[in-house]
Amino acid sequence: MDVDLDLAIPRGVLESLPDDDGAAEQDIRRAVAGYRQALEDGFGDADDESEAAAVAVDFLEYAEERAEIYDEFVPELRAWGQSPIYAIAWRDLYIELAAQVYEVDWLAERIDRERNYRLVDDGIRFGKD
């Protein structure tokens, strides 16, 4: 299935990085290129929109988990007197990438359906302890 998705690195993420040797920017560029390729491959292998949505949800769950991890680093780094700028940049990157996946109109609706399906499929029931 052909899905038009172009993950981009937000300018604000790159501008937030300290002016160093450029290693952090290169790491971010490589990561985004890898995620883009993985999504394109997954979408290409999908037989229909539901399978494409499952690929998108897998990425979204990964990105959201990574954003939470980096977000937890921020106060810890500050407590140790270290700059959290890299953790903030990576956190913001993952949040922005997830938002970009949701910007694909037809995919956003399918993503919500896939997430609801996974909730039910995992055995989570409302009103139970």
Side-chain angles (χ1 to χ4, degrees):
M1 162 159 242
D2 186 33
V3 177
D4 185 27
L5 176 68
D6 184 29
L7 294 182
I9 303 168
R11 187 180 326 181
V13 169
L14 294 178
E15 289 175 352
S16 72
L17 296 172
D19 190 24
D20 58 2
D21 62 357
E25 182 176 339
Q26 284 302 105
D27 289 345
I28 286 174
R29 289 188 185 282
R30 276 192 297 268
V32 171
Y35 299 140
R36 183 183 305 120
Q37 187 63 51
L39 284 168
E40 288 174 1
D41 291 347
F43 291 151
D45 293 342
D47 292 329
D48 58 23
E49 290 181 355
S50 294
E51 287 184 19
V55 169
V57 170
D58 288 343
F59 173 75
L60 289 171
E61 289 175 350
Y62 172 81
E64 291 163 354
E65 179 182 314
R66 299 300 294 179
E68 286 178 28
I69 289 169
Y70 282 109
D71 192 51
E72 291 172 5
F73 286 156
V74 172
E76 188 173 323
L77 289 167
R78 285 187 176 138
W80 286 96
Q82 297 181 15
S83 172
I85 192 63
Y86 294 108
I88 291 169
W90 280 97
R91 176 201 63 197
D92 292 351
L93 174 69
Y94 285 114
I95 291 168
E96 291 290 336
L97 294 177
Q100 290 175 38
V101 171
Y102 264 108
E103 288 177 2
V104 178
D105 291 333
W106 67 267
L107 191 54
E109 181 181 321
R110 291 286 188 173
I111 287 170
D112 291 339
R113 279 191 215 157
E114 177 66 19
R115 285 195 152 172
N116 289 334
Y117 170 77
R118 289 181 183 194
L119 279 174
V120 173
D121 193 49
D122 285 344
I124 299 171
R125 303 287 184 249
F126 296 107
K128 285 192 170 188
D129 294 335

